[in-house]
Amino acid sequence: MPRKDIAIFGAGGFGLEVAMLIEQINMDKHEWNLIGFFDDGVPAGKTVNEWQVLGGVNDLNAWSRPLAVAFALGIPKTKQAIVNKIDNSKLWFPTLVHPSAVMGFPKYVDIGHGSIVCAGSIITTNIHIGRFVIINLACTVGHETEIGDFCSFMPTCNISGEVIIGTASFWGTGAKVINRCTIGDHTTIGAGAVVINDLPSDVTAAGVPAKIIKSGA
């Protein structure tokens, strides 16, 4: 069966890690043909590792053949803004899961399109993960958790069971939340923070235990 063409939007460090993830999927399933990167901030024609930057959003919208696109953008607001500019019906957005990730039974784990689950992560059971979510290296997501669209979790985040996380939240490296907490939309959790209470939308929280240090987008 021929490999499907795929490109990565975002030619930075996480883009390189997504390229690695795709190559490691291919070692297991021979599924993808990585054709290169798109990035509005990097000149077209530049080589990143062995792959070329093919252009930016306008070039992607003008692409004339079927193409899968993975969004390697860690900042939720940036990721959402770029996704909202895409209007090419030839493009589609696969869910990418590293072969080493531990996943619950598929009928009890729902992951939206465009989401990425990186190496060493554990997704247990009765979980809903929205669209264009990043679960970075060695994260854990406990039972009966709901994660909204466009969220990004940096490496080694731990999400306990029965947690509800709104859209476009950003979690720094090593952040944790205990069970049965609700986190609002567009909320930032600082690296190493431990969330033990509900948090509203549009705040930044940091520390152990996590406290609100900034309000407003």
Side-chain angles (χ1 to χ4, degrees):
M1 189 172 180
R3 297 188 184 193
K4 295 167 286 203
D5 286 346
I6 189 170
I8 298 168
F9 197 100
F14 187 58
L16 296 177
E17 291 188 349
V18 173
M20 178 199 77
L21 185 154
I22 290 168
E23 291 300 295
Q24 290 177 329
I25 290 174
N26 281 340
M27 292 173 66
D28 185 45
K29 295 184 178 179
H30 308 289
E31 186 172 359
W32 299 108
N33 173 40
L34 179 56
I35 67 167
F37 292 94
F38 288 85
D39 194 314
D40 284 324
V42 179
K46 180 177 179 178
T47 298
V48 179
N49 281 6
E50 63 193 79
W51 298 282
Q52 194 172 58
V53 176
L54 303 171
V57 169
N58 291 338
D59 301 284
L60 197 53
N61 277 330
W63 199 260
S64 60
R65 303 186 305 277
L67 180 64
V69 182
F71 287 90
L73 302 169
I75 303 302
K77 184 184 293 186
T78 302
K79 180 169 48 178
Q80 187 170 7
I82 295 295
V83 169
N84 288 342
K85 291 179 181 178
I86 301 298
D87 59 9
N88 185 345
S89 62
K90 296 288 187 181
L91 307 181
W92 59 288
F93 312 107
T95 299
L96 300 177
V97 178
H98 192 278
S100 70
V102 176
M103 306 291 292
F105 289 120
K107 65 180 178 179
Y108 298 126
V109 176
D110 174 33
I111 304 179
H113 66 255
S115 291
I116 298 171
V117 179
C118 295
S121 291
I122 301 172
I123 313 294
T124 63
T125 189
N126 295 69
I127 289 166
H128 171 76
I129 296 173
R131 302 173 303 122
F132 301 104
V133 171
I134 293 171
I135 308 290
N136 215 309
L137 300 165
C139 293
T140 62
V141 181
H143 61 91
E144 299 163 281
T145 286
E146 297 182 17
I147 296 173
D149 299 342
F150 296 105
C151 289
S152 291
F153 299 86
M154 297 301 101
T156 69
C157 287
N158 301 126
I159 312 301
S160 297
E162 301 172 276
V163 170
I164 298 174
I165 299 172
T167 61
S169 289
F170 178 89
W171 293 62
T173 298
K176 307 176 189 300
V177 57
I178 67 168
N179 61 308
R180 298 184 178 178
C181 285
T182 297
I183 312 298
D185 301 331
H186 307 104
T187 290
T188 297
I189 311 298
V194 178
V195 179
I196 64 171
N197 295 301
D198 294 351
L199 290 171
S201 298
D202 300 306
V203 300
T204 298
V208 181
K211 296 181 180 180
I212 295 172
I213 59 172
K214 180 182 176 182
S215 295

